[in-house]
Amino acid sequence: MKIEEIIKSNTEVSLAKKTLLNLMYTQNCTAERFNEVLKAYDLSAEQFNVLRILRGQKGNPANMSVIQERMIAKTSNTTRLVDKLLLKELCTRKVCTVNRRKIEVFITAKGLELLAQIDPKIDDFESKWVENLTTEELQTLNNLLEKLRTSY
């Protein structure tokens, strides 16, 4: 369905506005469906992102600034997200022995087990989400999106 139909626009929309509306609407659709997958595991997309960052540390700790700089949504409140994951026993937190101002965060075995359960569902979601696009179209789309992010 065309974006003009979705927003029920009676006037012609400029190409720039149409593009931005398409990006924003598609991002919202993607987030809604992504969140549906995570809902069964009582995780938000941001919490899931933190867990994936911690898993990527391969047993090494991550401090709050490392987590923040790797977050997809840079506006996320990292401390609050880590606090929620602590309550679910999906990560641990301790004061760094070298620099007492730093807090080190580790993923727990429970966190790793949860990600192992979620990973196939996310892989399936990702595959289905882009199944209408060819490999070449996906490469082009990624190139265009990267170009858009660096143009402003």
Side-chain angles (χ1 to χ4, degrees):
M1 182 182 288
K2 295 192 177 284
I3 193 70
E4 294 90 349
E5 296 169 25
I6 293 168
I7 64 169
K8 299 177 180 12
S9 176
N10 295 327
T11 59
E12 189 167 330
V13 177
S14 73
L15 189 55
K17 186 178 298 261
K18 180 178 179 173
T19 303
L20 188 59
L21 288 171
N22 260 311
L23 282 168
M24 292 169 67
Y25 186 79
T26 302
Q27 188 279 329
N28 284 332
C29 289
T30 306
E32 285 173 11
R33 294 204 176 111
F34 189 77
N35 286 329
E36 285 175 23
V37 174
L38 295 175
K39 187 177 183 180
Y41 301 95
D42 190 33
L43 282 181
S44 68
E46 294 81 8
Q47 290 170 354
F48 177 69
N49 190 207
V50 171
L51 286 176
R52 287 176 48 163
I53 291 165
L54 294 175
R55 177 176 60 185
Q57 292 294 108
K58 301 187 184 324
N60 295 313
N63 60 46
M64 294 300 192
S65 64
V66 165
I67 295 170
Q68 181 65 39
E69 71 187 25
R70 294 183 184 174
M71 290 291 293
I72 292 171
K74 301 291 185 198
T75 58
S76 298
N77 182 335
T78 310
T79 302
R80 182 183 51 82
L81 292 170
V82 168
D83 286 346
K84 288 186 176 190
L85 294 172
L86 281 164
L87 288 173
K88 296 176 185 182
E89 300 177 345
L90 301 174
C91 71
T92 59
R93 168 174 70 191
K94 68 176 189 175
V95 175
C96 176
T97 54
V98 178
N99 181 350
R100 297 194 50 80
R101 291 177 293 167
K102 273 180 145 178
I103 301 295
E104 296 179 325
V105 183
F106 296 85
I107 192 166
T108 63
K110 184 177 178 181
L112 290 170
E113 289 169 19
L114 183 62
L115 285 179
Q117 290 175 31
I118 297 172
D119 284 342
K121 304 271 194 270
I122 296 297
D123 291 344
D124 186 53
F125 166 78
E126 291 168 348
S127 296
K128 286 180 179 167
W129 190 246
V130 298
E131 70 185 357
N132 291 337
L133 300 176
T134 65
T135 300
E136 185 178 307
E137 288 171 329
L138 287 170
Q139 289 171 338
T140 300
L141 178 59
N142 276 288
N143 289 338
L144 292 171
L145 291 170
E146 288 167 4
K147 191 172 182 178
L148 273 174
R149 281 196 310 276
T150 59
S151 68
Y152 191 71

